[in-house]
Amino acid sequence: MVRPHVVGFLDEMIRSDKNVRVEEVPVPANFPPTRVGDLRLRSPDYILLALREEDGAWVFNPKVDHVIQAGNTIIAMANPSGRAQLKAHLIEKMS
């Protein structure tokens, strides 16, 4: 194996009782353009990995000054609770 630790990690992720998966969370249509740092996307239940922008561009490990906006998709490693938290956080930012 070329990357045994990566394979081991992915295998553990799938088999773990923590139910961690790579998830995608679409940014809602009415979401105001917001810097990543202003969203305070920190939780033990998810990790922000990347953003898929509306034009199809990928932004891996987005910096705090990168702007998230409607039409983007957030890619995160999360358990079910973390995915729900992330969605709720985006909805809360809209109000």
Side-chain angles (χ1 to χ4, degrees):
M1 280 190 221
V2 177
R3 295 177 185 88
H5 295 290
V6 173
V7 171
F9 174 79
L10 293 173
D11 186 51
E12 180 65 25
M13 183 179 77
I14 290 169
R15 297 174 192 271
S16 170
D17 62 351
K18 293 180 173 57
N19 205 15
V20 176
R21 301 287 183 264
V22 176
E23 297 281 356
E24 63 179 65
V25 178
V27 177
N30 297 330
F31 190 80
T34 306
R35 291 174 359 119
V36 169
D38 294 338
L39 287 174
R40 303 178 201 270
L41 298 176
R42 297 277 184 232
S43 171
D45 295 319
Y46 63 84
I47 299 168
L48 178 63
L49 299 175
L51 294 174
R52 179 72 178 216
E53 297 190 331
E54 196 167 22
D55 66 1
W58 285 100
V59 179
F60 296 101
N61 193 20
K63 297 181 189 241
V64 294
D65 62 344
H66 188 84
V67 176
I68 294 178
Q69 53 195 355
N72 290 168
T73 301
I74 295 172
I75 309 299
M77 187 176 304
N79 61 27
S81 172
R83 186 179 195 290
Q85 288 173 39
L86 188 51
K87 277 182 81 170
H89 194 67
L90 293 175
I91 291 167
E92 176 184 303
K93 187 68 178 177
M94 292 176 15
S95 47

